[in-house]
Amino acid sequence: MTHKKIRVRFAPSPTGPLHMGGVRTALFNYLFARKHGGDFLLRIEDTDQTRFVRNAEKYIVDSLTWCGITIDEGIGAVNQGEYGPYRQSERKNLYRNFAYDLIASGNAYYAFDTAEELNTLREQGEAAKNPFVYNFETRKHLCNSLTLSEQEVAQRIADNQPYVIRFKMPENQDVHLYDEIRKEVHFNTKELDDKVLYKSDGMPTYHLANVVDDYTMGITHVIRGEEWLSSMPLHVLLYRAFGWETDMPKFAHLPLILKPQGQGKLSKRDGDKLGFPVFPLNWVGDDGETAAGYKETGYLPEAFVNMLALLGWNPGTEQEIFTMDELIDAFSLERVGKSGSKFDPEKTKWFNQQWIQRTPNYKLAELILPTILEQGIQTSPQYVEKVCALVKERAVFIQDLWLQATYFYKAPETYDEKVIQKRWDSSIPAILQEICEILQTQNTFSSTHLEETIKQYIHNKQLNMGQIFNCIRLCIVGTSAGAHLFDIFEMIGKTETIARIQKAIATIH
Ligand code: GLU
C-alpha cells in the first residue's frame, strides 16, 4: 500500500497580528510536516471581508520567517505550488458550485429569511429564555427551499432575492468522530444548527471554504487550535455529504494556551495588561493600535520557538533546550496533551538567556551592531563580537549585550555615589596615579598580564585589594558592576584605560 504524502496547512484569517497561539499552531504543523517529509502550506482564509485587516497577511509571513518556519507551498512560499490560488477571496467562484452540489444531493438548501426576520426570532427567543436556533426543527417553519414550492424558489432566485445556502443537518443521528489528541468524540446531530455555508454576498463561510480547500489541496492532517473543535462535527458531516470521506484528513485539536495564572485563555489583550509580549513581532495597525513583539523586546527566535514547542507538547524526557532540528526529530502528535498549558513569562526569559549563551558571538554581534552604530559610536563587528563573549553570561535580552556593556565603547559620564562614599578616600588619587604610570610602561596589555602586575603592586604596597579594585572599576565603568576588570582593560586598550582613570581622578572629590 502506498502512503499519501503528508500535507498540512496553516490557515489563518488576516484579521490582525498573529497571536503567539497562532504561531504555535503553525509550528506544530511545520514540525509534523518536516518530521514526515511532507508539505507545509500557508493558506489565507479571508472570506470574512468585514474583518479583513491590511498588512495582516504580510505580518503572518514575516512572523513565520522570523521563527524559521519555512513555507513549502502557498502564500509566502518560494514556489507557489499547483493548488492555488491560496487566498480564499481569489477562489470564491469555486465554492459556489460545491454549495450547489450539496443542494442537488439534498444536503443543503436555500434560505430566504431576511436579517430582520431572524433578528426578531432571536429577540423573541431571548425574551422567552428559549434561544432561537436555525435547526432541523425550526427550519420546517422558516422561509427556505424546504418549505417553499419549487416554483416559488425558482421565482425568488430569478427576482434576485438575496439568499444564503444552509447545511441541512441530519435529524437525530449519533456521530462518532476521532481526534488524534482527544481520541473518541461523540455527538448527536440534533445538538447542531444548520450553519450557513454560502452567504448572500457571494462568499462562502469559513466552514465551506475550509473543507473544500482542505480536500482540493490534498490536506492529510488538520492540526489547529481547540477553538475549532466545535466545528469538527460539521466539517466531518460535510466530508460525508460531499462523498469525500475516504480522503478526509485526520483531525488534531491543540490544547489552549492559558494565562500565567491559569485563569482562561491567553488573549491578544493580555500582553499589554500583564507586561509581556503575546505577538512575535511589533505591530502597528492602520488604526494606530500598537503591540509589542518578542523580536523587538529582545528575544531570539530560537528561544521563542523553543518555548512555544513546549506549550502543549512534551518530549517525554527532561530535555528542555531544543533546536528546530531537534524538535522535528522529537515531535509527535501522541505527545501533545489535551489540557491547557499555562504560559510562563519567567520561563520564557530563561529560555532566552539560555539561547543567548548558545548563540555564536558573531551572530549576537550582528544583532546589536546596528543599535551601537546608531549611537554614533565607532566600532567594528570583531570588537562587538568580543564584547558579546564577555557579557553574554549576564544577558537576558539581546539589548542587554549593549545596555550592560556601554563601558566597552565609551567612558562613564557619571560615577556611582554609593561606591565613592564607601571606597574612595584622599589616598586614592595618588595610588591611581601610580597605577597609571605602571600601565604606561607595559608593552603587553593583556588581561592576565595586567591582572598580575596590578595585583603585585597592591600587594607590595600592602593596600586593600578590594578597595583599589573597586576604585579602578569606578573609573572605568562608573559603577561596581560589569565584566572582569582586566578584560575591559585589554579591550579598551592602554590609552583609553589611562584616560578614564585620569578623568575620574579629576572629577571625583
Ligand atoms: N481560518 C481559521 C483560523 O483563523 C482556520 C481554522 C482551521 O485551521 O481550520 O484559525
Side-chain angles (χ1 to χ4, degrees):
M1 193 177 130
T2 55
H3 283 285
K4 269 207 287 186
K5 185 174 192 195
I6 300 278
R7 285 170 62 79
V8 293
R9 84 308 190 268
F10 178 48
S13 299
T15 54
L18 182 64
H19 181 245
M20 59 192 257
V23 183
R24 198 235 358 214
T25 301
L27 175 67
F28 283 18
N29 274 283
Y30 172 77
L31 295 176
F32 187 76
R34 285 288 168 279
K35 167 111 192 181
H36 297 284
D39 298 327
F40 171 68
L41 283 72
L42 178 63
R43 182 174 75 220
I44 297 293
E45 302 211 324
D46 56 350
T47 53
D48 189 351
Q49 294 290 317
T50 60
R51 297 182 62 215
F52 180 82
V53 171
R54 207 175 61 85
N55 282 338
E57 179 184 303
K58 180 175 183 307
Y59 182 92
I60 292 165
V61 174
D62 289 349
S63 299
L64 298 186
T65 307
W66 180 67
C67 290
I69 299 174
T70 42
I71 305 159
D72 299 315
E73 192 176 312
I75 306 297
V78 181
N79 301 313
Q80 267 283 296
E82 48 189 286
Y83 297 88
Y86 293 87
R87 248 177 233 107
Q88 290 185 331
S89 57
E90 292 167 19
R91 301 166 67 79
K92 63 179 182 188
N93 294 335
L94 174 93
Y95 307 114
R96 189 177 25 221
N97 292 335
F98 283 105
Y100 289 153
D101 286 351
L102 289 180
I103 295 185
S105 63
N107 288 296
Y109 58 90
Y110 296 104
F112 299 95
D113 319 270
T114 63
E116 295 80 56
E117 285 163 353
L118 294 175
N119 269 340
T120 309
L121 288 169
R122 272 184 213 117
E123 279 164 21
Q124 286 169 353
E126 243 166 71
K129 300 236 173 330
N130 181 21
F132 167 74
V133 188
Y134 209 122
N135 64 9
F136 70 101
E137 261 171 347
T138 56
R139 70 188 176 210
K140 293 172 191 153
H141 316 289
L142 289 159
C143 189
N144 54 49
S145 56
L146 304 172
T147 56
L148 300 170
S149 72
E150 237 174 82
Q151 291 89 321
E152 203 166 343
V153 171
Q155 191 57 52
R156 282 175 185 251
I157 292 173
D159 291 347
N160 278 332
Q161 252 196 38
Y163 63 80
V164 298
I165 297 176
R166 285 181 182 270
F167 186 66
K168 189 176 169 210
M169 189 55 72
E171 286 189 41
N172 198 15
Q173 246 184 44
D174 271 323
V175 185
H176 296 253
L177 310 176
Y178 191 81
D179 180 90
E180 299 296 311
I181 295 166
R182 278 141 228 280
K183 312 301 172 200
E184 308 279 340
V185 183
H186 304 267
F187 71 98
N188 186 289
T189 53
K190 66 176 181 234
E191 295 151 23
L192 303 177
D193 58 340
D194 285 3
K195 281 269 185 291
V196 173
L197 300 177
Y198 198 76
K199 296 179 284 188
S200 51
D201 64 1
M203 277 286 200
T205 58
Y206 154 71
H207 303 290
L208 178 69
N210 187 270
V211 165
V212 165
D213 286 352
D214 283 345
Y215 175 74
T216 53
M217 292 181 180
I219 297 302
T220 57
H221 294 74
V222 168
I223 304 171
R224 62 187 174 191
E226 183 177 292
E227 61 272 33
W228 303 103
L229 184 64
S230 58
S231 301
M232 182 179 164
L234 172 63
H235 293 184
V236 171
L237 291 171
L238 276 169
Y239 278 96
R240 290 185 188 168
F242 280 121
W244 297 338
E245 214 182 337
T246 46
D247 285 316
M248 186 167 79
K250 292 194 159 109
F251 289 88
H253 289 90
L254 306 175
L256 293 177
I257 300 180
L258 305 175
K259 294 185 208 295
Q261 260 68 46
Q263 67 298 42
K265 185 178 161 181
L266 186 70
S267 84
K268 291 197 175 189
R269 278 171 300 278
D270 285 332
D272 302 323
K273 278 197 303 221
L274 302 174
F276 52 80
V278 290
F279 298 104
L281 311 177
N282 273 1
W283 167 261
V284 185
D286 280 350
D287 51 3
E289 207 191 328
T290 60
Y294 276 89
K295 178 181 176 196
E296 294 80 359
T297 307
Y299 284 88
L300 287 167
E302 291 85 353
F304 179 60
V305 163
N306 195 157
M307 174 280 290
L308 277 184
L310 292 163
L311 281 180
W313 170 79
N314 77 81
T317 63
E318 294 295 302
Q319 186 176 350
E320 289 193 285
I321 302 294
F322 286 87
T323 62
M324 188 69 100
D325 283 343
E326 287 169 337
L327 286 173
I328 292 169
D329 209 41
F331 187 77
S332 75
L333 286 176
E334 284 83 59
R335 301 210 71 91
V336 176
K338 277 201 275 274
S339 45
S341 248
K342 264 188 249 173
F343 169 66
D344 183 345
E346 290 310 313
K347 187 79 192 208
T348 306
K349 287 185 197 160
W350 178 84
F351 275 115
N352 206 45
Q353 190 248 330
Q354 293 294 314
W355 268 101
I356 290 177
Q357 309 319 307
R358 283 170 166 76
T359 302
N361 299 324
Y362 79 90
K363 279 202 179 157
L364 296 174
E366 270 169 21
L367 292 171
I368 57 162
L369 188 60
T371 318
I372 299 173
L373 296 177
E374 269 167 29
Q375 315 279 318
I377 288 168
Q378 289 197 348
T379 188
S380 69
Q382 293 74 15
Y383 185 80
V384 181
E385 187 180 330
K386 282 193 204 150
V387 174
C388 287
L390 294 174
V391 301
K392 69 195 287 192
E393 206 183 314
R394 280 178 289 273
V396 174
F397 298 108
I398 290 298
Q399 61 272 24
D400 292 342
L401 297 168
W402 151 247
L403 293 176
Q404 293 180 13
T406 49
Y407 52 84
F408 279 108
Y409 306 94
K410 50 184 188 184
E413 271 148 30
T414 56
Y415 301 98
D416 190 333
E417 263 312 314
K418 274 198 212 108
V419 185
I420 298 175
Q421 294 294 329
K422 207 170 150 207
R423 298 296 200 179
W424 196 279
D425 60 41
S426 54
S427 69
I428 294 295
I431 297 167
L432 292 180
Q433 212 44 275
E434 272 185 21
I435 291 180
C436 281
E437 279 154 29
I438 297 171
L439 293 174
Q440 191 61 55
T441 59
Q442 301 308 309
N443 292 326
T444 326
F445 217 72
S446 77
S447 177
T448 38
H449 169 70
L450 293 171
E451 181 167 358
E452 255 170 51
T453 314
I454 303 298
K455 273 186 176 165
Q456 194 60 54
Y457 162 79
I458 296 172
H459 184 75
N460 292 348
K461 288 257 168 175
Q462 296 191 324
L463 297 168
N464 175 336
M465 195 77 79
Q467 183 189 10
I468 304 304
F469 275 9
N470 260 278
C471 288
I472 305 176
R473 182 176 287 282
L474 189 68
C475 305
I476 304 295
V477 178
T479 68
S480 55
H484 181 60
L485 187 57
F486 297 97
D487 285 349
I488 309 175
F489 275 32
E490 183 182 324
M491 285 289 287
I492 62 178
K494 189 196 278 188
T495 314
E496 177 68 10
T497 304
I498 294 173
R500 286 193 194 181
I501 299 176
Q502 293 297 345
K503 183 181 162 197
I505 295 174
T507 316
I508 302 171
H509 297 289

